[in-house]
Structure formats: structure tokens, C-alpha cells
Amino acid sequence: MLNPNHDRLDYGEILAPPAGYDLDFAVGTTYSLDLDALVGASLALGLSEEMDSVLMNNPVFLLEALRRTGDKVALFCEGGQIHKPNRVTSLFMLLEKMVFSVTLSKRRGIAAYPSFHPKFWLIRYKNEEKEFVYRVVVLSRNLTFDRSWDITYYMDGRVREYTTEKNEPLRDFLRFLATQVSDDEHGKSKRKEIRALIRELPYVHFEPAEKEFRDFEFIPSGIERSTGGRYWFNETDLFKDTFHEILIMSPFLSPSIVRDFNDRNTTSPIQGSRYMLITREMSLGRLKPKDVSNFLIYTMKDRVIDGETAISEENMEAQKQDIHAKLYMKNKSSNSDLYLGSLNATHNAVHGNVEFMLRLNAKKYYLNMDKLAASLFGSDEDDNPFLKVTLENAIIDDDDDETKALDAVIKEINRSKPRAVVHEEVDEFFSVNVDFASLDLRDLSVQVKPLFSNRSVEISENIVFTKLRLMQLSKFYVLSVSDGMRTIERIIVIPTDGLLENRESAVVTSIVKDKDSFYRYVAFLLGDDPFLTALEVGMAEGSGADNINRATYGMPALYEKMLQTAANNPQKFKDIEQLMNTISEDGIIPEDFKELYDTFKKAVKLDG
């Protein structure tokens, strides 16, 4: 079940539509977000391609993935936790209508701001017969390229004539998300789709595919119930009931949460209770012996943490890995529950954050500590990625605390509700006025700039960026916060009035910039398999925009493809029409192609 050598899931394969289906709409959530990872998710959702496909280097391939998914994806993340990519491209502009940042207010009993922390997808796929498949995905993994070890579970569901109450928590979670979209045109469109999902879910029946699991439960935390009150994870049996076995896997810990499990059975002693904790070495430094007196403790071996490093071509930094999965197994008598998702064993997670978890129920025969330990540790000690430790192995990462302090400043700025307005100047230039609230920055240096501009300025209550081109306008702004020794950069989303709708056309035209690249793009749209078609038309070699212009791809080959498409899949002509309507520059679409397209359009009765 959890063997890291055999039971691995691929994020892209989980998101990709089942055979015969296409993406209809998807709602996703993450705490932190890498824009390149969102582009990769769009490849999987829109073109059923791997998130690390070689075609990630091809702008035409990426452009089509983003055009197919832009109006069909709503992705929610913690405000101020979008990571600045190493290489900024104009294609990121097409992500603006997908991304919505969430900022939560302070709550009593929580020192820091609570976080929007769920990792979740609800996806609706549709086939040509207008039949739907729904997929719910619960993860511990953020939508980033972090290499840490995570856990994922997904189920498919279909519509039936009778209703189920099991999806009520899921519907309440979507109701919360619907309140977090922006009030612009794209936000209103996404809210409408989310509300449609809410109406459909009573008739959608999800079922675990594995024989071991006989029941399941969706458990959001930190959001309102439609019946009154709030969902809180500490109200579940995991936090209220005694147990015979408890296994906790959590990268981050709070002493009070761990101690609650450690002492749970004290008032109602259960003989032979067993306790296991799997965590990060750095998290042990916050615990005292009395917090874990009953636990066997395991951390990841150093050779595993360092053994699968990846070297980034951009900055040549080694990326280490560690535990990031959040998993709890509780057994009592013959009944076992497996909880997985986003919730760390920390005070803020349990009492403050918005989280999302899934409970899977099984008989003890299928789900128990010995079976989970055997899966995780393996039968050969040489292959065991974990090491039994004590609190003497504790490490406190002070540098991490300093980084969190800089992160807190970005959260403050993000919660000050900045606004921006675009003004048109002369000679196709624009200016942008950005208003920030007055903030105490505590001797920190804070720089801000539009994502697509190279000009940074020191933050102030009112900033004016001048001489910006159309392709430099964006809702994405980069904040850089420094204390003189450390610097972090994050992207925040600033609601912006006056953004021109023709920016998407400008992005398309910057990539499809001549007749030959237009022909290749059309041929790509008409193909059955994106990857094979890209190879056929010469779009899959090399990288950069120039690789689609090395050789001509003329009308005769395109005419043959259009004949095949008219016979087998005439709906694809709608994709061509959408592309033609998006291209704004004169001279890119050949006149003879327009005539040919009009002929095919009439033949396949596209207007009808």
C-alpha cells in the first residue's frame, strides 16, 4: 500500500482524463504554488501529457494546453505563496484567470495567521455522449516541484439516480471556495461552474477501488458547515477516541498535539497500546521526552535525504528530499481508520488552518501498524529509508524560523488588500498605479515589481509603474523581502482594473508569428495524439519559439489532415476558429487558408 519503491503515483497521470473523456472543469487547491507546475498540470488536464514532458520546452504545445484549460480550471492557493519561477515567460499571463489567492483572517488562540493549506482536486470529465466522470484527489503534496515524499489518494465517481449524503462536506468545501474567487469576469465564470458542481454532487457516488477499504469520509477543517458551526478536525474520532494502535506521519509537529496522542489512553488504559511517529529530524527539537514517552520515533535516513538530489540547470542548487506526507492510522479492536491529506500534527493545523483530509475505513486484517510498517520499511534493512531515533537526534532549524518571519511580512502585505489600476498612455505605453496600505516593515527592505517587468521599486503606499508595454501588464506582482542576510521572493495577485482583454491575443501572436508557424499550429490542433502530432509537424525538437519555423509546413499536407478531421472529428474545427479569432496581427493567417477553412466549415455544418 505505501511501499515507496513500488506504490508510487504520478501527479500528471492522476489529473489526465480517462480514455475517451476530456476535461470539462476542475477545481484545485494548494498551499504553495509553482507557476511552472501549474503549466504542467494544464498539460495533463488538457492534453493528457506528462507534467515533465519534453514538450514542456515548446511554447506552442504549452500555449495550446493553457488555451484548453484556462476557462476550465480554478486553482486556489495561499495568498503570498506563489513562488517566483527561474524563467518568466509571457505564457504565465494565461494563468491569471486560473489562479485565486486565499487570505484568512486571524483567529482567537492562533498566534500567526491561519493558512489556507488543503491539497485537493475535484475534476469533471466529459465524453462525446455527454457522460460525466468525477474524480476527487486528496493529497499532501503542493503544486510545486518539491521532491519530498508525499501521499495521494483518488477515487472516481459517476452520477446515479438516487442521492448520497457522503458528499455534503465536499459541497461545503466548494461553497467556501466559491466565496474566494475574484469579482471580475473570469471569477464570475468560475464561481458559476463551482456552483454547478455543488448542485451535481448529491447524485455523484464515489467508491474506493481497493477491496481493503469498505468506507470513506471527506473531512474539511476550518470552514463553515451549511447546517451551522464549523468543521474542525479535532472533533473527529482521531482526536477524541482511545486506540490500540496509532501511527502518525507528519513532517511538522507541535508538542501539545503529539502529547495528546501520547497521553490519550491514560484515563482509559488500553493494555498493549502501540505508538509510532515518523517525522523530520528538525521537528524533534521542539519536543520533550514526556511528549513522546510511548512512541517509537523514525526519521528519514541521511543517505535518502541526500541520495536523490536534483540539480537545477538554472541555479545549480541541490534539491534535497524529506518526509512531507501527512498520514494517521488509528486502530481500535477490529476497526482501523486511515486519515490522509494536508493536516500536519501542529496546533495551527488542527485549530486554525483550512485543511482537507480523507478517512478510509478498513478491517484490522487489512490495515494495521505491522502491515503499514512493513510497507514503509521493507523487508531488507539496506532498503529501509527510515531510521529509528530518539530525541537526542533533535535539531532546531533557526534559519527556518527567520525565513518564516520574512514570509509573515509578505502575508501582512497581501492582507492589506492592495489594488491596481491601468492607464493608457501615448505610443502604446501604459502606466499602473498600485496602492498599498501603510505597514510597519521593521527595518526590512521590500521591493515590488510587475512579474513581466524588470523594474523594481521600494514599496510605498502609492507606486506608479510607467512606460509598460501591453505584454508587461499583469495581476501578478513580485515581492522581494530582505533582512540584509536573507531574501525571499514571492508572487502576489493584485486585483487590477483596466487590464486589456487583448493581452491573450498578444501572447498568442508572440508565439504564432508567421504563416508557417500558423500552419504547424493548425496541424497540431487536428492531430489525434498531441505528442505524435508535434513530432510529425516538427514542433517537438529543441526548445524555444524558433523550433516551429525551421522548415515549411504547407497547405497540401494540411488539406489532407482537414479532410480526415472533417470525416472523423469535425468538432476540432471549433479549435481552429478559436485560434483564428485570437490572432490579432494581420498577415499571419493566409488568405487561401481562410477560403479553405470557410469551405470546410460549411461542409461540416459547424455553425449548427
Side-chain angles (χ1 to χ4, degrees), residues 551-569:
T552 58
Y553 191 88
M555 283 287 288
L558 199 59
Y559 178 73
E560 183 178 343
K561 276 186 170 293
M562 293 175 77
L563 279 175
Q564 294 172 350
T565 302
N568 301 322
N569 196 354

Side-chain angles (χ1 to χ4, degrees), residues 67 518 521-523 525-526 558 562 565 571-582 589 593 597 606:
R67 289 181 66 243
F518 172 78
Y521 200 155
V522 171
L525 292 176
L526 296 176
L558 199 59
M562 293 175 77
T565 302
Q571 293 301 308
K572 286 190 175 183
F573 283 95
K574 289 185 177 180
D575 294 330
I576 299 176
E577 181 155 341
Q578 185 181 11
L579 173 65
M580 294 170 65
N581 291 337
T582 305
I589 305 174
F593 177 83
Y597 174 77
L606 186 61

Side-chain angles (χ1 to χ4, degrees), residues 74 269 368 530:
N368 58 65

Side-chain angles (χ1 to χ4, degrees), residues 409-420:
V409 173
I410 291 181
K411 288 193 173 189
E412 289 277 2
I413 295 173
N414 196 63
R415 281 166 172 76
S416 70
K417 298 183 179 179
R419 301 283 306 187

Side-chain angles (χ1 to χ4, degrees), residues 159-321:
V159 173
R160 296 181 182 174
E161 293 182 356
Y162 57 95
T163 62
T164 174
E165 295 183 357
K166 295 190 76 66
N167 295 337
E168 282 306 301
L170 193 54
R171 298 178 73 207
D172 285 340
F173 186 60
L174 292 182
R175 288 186 181 102
F176 168 78
L177 295 180
T179 67
Q180 303 300 312
V181 299
S182 57
D183 289 327
D184 59 15
E185 179 182 350
H186 297 304
K188 292 176 181 178
S189 173
K190 301 295 171 68
R191 185 183 293 116
K192 181 179 179 181
E193 290 288 350
I194 293 172
R195 288 174 174 169
L197 283 173
I198 294 171
R199 292 192 299 271
E200 296 160 12
L201 278 173
Y203 295 91
V204 179
H205 293 254
F206 294 101
E207 294 183 2
E210 300 79 12
K211 67 177 183 180
E212 293 89 348
F213 300 126
R214 58 183 183 174
D215 196 10
F216 68 91
E217 179 185 9
F218 298 119
I219 312 176
S221 187
I223 65 164
E224 293 183 357
R225 293 177 183 266
S226 56
T227 55
R230 283 180 179 266
Y231 292 91
W232 290 112
F233 199 69
N234 63 339
E235 297 175 355
T236 64
D237 283 346
L238 179 65
F239 279 84
K240 293 180 128 183
D241 196 12
T242 55
F243 48 80
H244 286 99
E245 295 178 337
I246 188 74
L247 184 150
I248 300 171
M249 181 182 289
S250 175
F252 308 111
L253 307 171
S254 289
S256 62
I257 301 299
V258 179
R259 188 167 58 250
D260 174 76
F261 285 104
N262 189 78
D263 300 342
R264 180 82 55 81
N265 293 339
T266 302
T267 55
S268 301
I270 294 182
Q271 295 297 321
S273 298
R274 304 170 66 194
Y275 305 72
M276 183 179 293
L277 173 64
I278 302 173
T279 187
R280 293 186 177 187
E281 193 175 42
M282 53 164 267
S283 296
L284 297 176
R286 306 185 185 280
L287 304 178
K288 295 179 180 179
K290 66 179 181 180
D291 300 328
V292 289
S293 59
N294 291 322
F295 278 94
L296 297 176
I297 307 172
Y298 295 85
T299 60
M300 190 170 277
K301 293 177 179 177
D302 288 342
R303 66 174 176 80
V304 180
I305 293 175
D306 299 327
E308 293 186 18
T309 54
I311 304 299
S312 167
E313 294 180 359
E314 296 289 339
N315 54 23
M316 299 303 290
E317 289 183 358
Q319 300 176 22
K320 296 186 178 183
Q321 60 184 5

Side-chain angles (χ1 to χ4, degrees), residues 300-413:
M300 190 170 277
K301 293 177 179 177
D302 288 342
R303 66 174 176 80
V304 180
I305 293 175
D306 299 327
E308 293 186 18
T309 54
I311 304 299
S312 167
E313 294 180 359
E314 296 289 339
N315 54 23
M316 299 303 290
E317 289 183 358
Q319 300 176 22
K320 296 186 178 183
Q321 60 184 5
D322 208 332
I323 285 291
H324 192 255
K326 293 88 172 169
L327 178 147
Y328 306 80
M329 192 284 296
K330 181 180 79 70
N331 161 255
K332 188 171 183 180
S333 299
S334 62
N335 189 62
S336 294
D337 288 313
L338 185 69
Y339 299 83
L340 60 92
S342 65
L343 186 120
N344 285 295
T346 63
H347 181 80
N348 281 7
V350 174
H351 298 285
N353 293 352
V354 171
E355 308 274 358
F356 198 94
M357 298 287 284
L358 174 69
R359 180 183 67 86
L360 295 165
N361 177 257
K363 285 289 188 181
K364 181 182 179 181
Y365 174 81
Y366 294 112
L367 181 63
N368 58 65
M369 185 179 291
D370 289 332
K371 287 202 171 185
L372 283 186
S375 292
L376 290 166
F377 300 159
S379 57
D380 188 342
E381 182 56 34
D382 290 338
D383 293 331
N384 184 359
F386 299 101
L387 176 70
K388 186 178 178 181
V389 300
T390 66
L391 290 192
E392 294 178 359
N393 301 81
I395 295 174
I396 297 180
D397 191 348
D398 292 327
D399 188 63
D400 184 61
D401 289 339
E402 296 298 330
T403 301
K404 287 181 179 178
L406 299 182
D407 247 332
V409 173
I410 291 181
K411 288 193 173 189
E412 289 277 2
I413 295 173

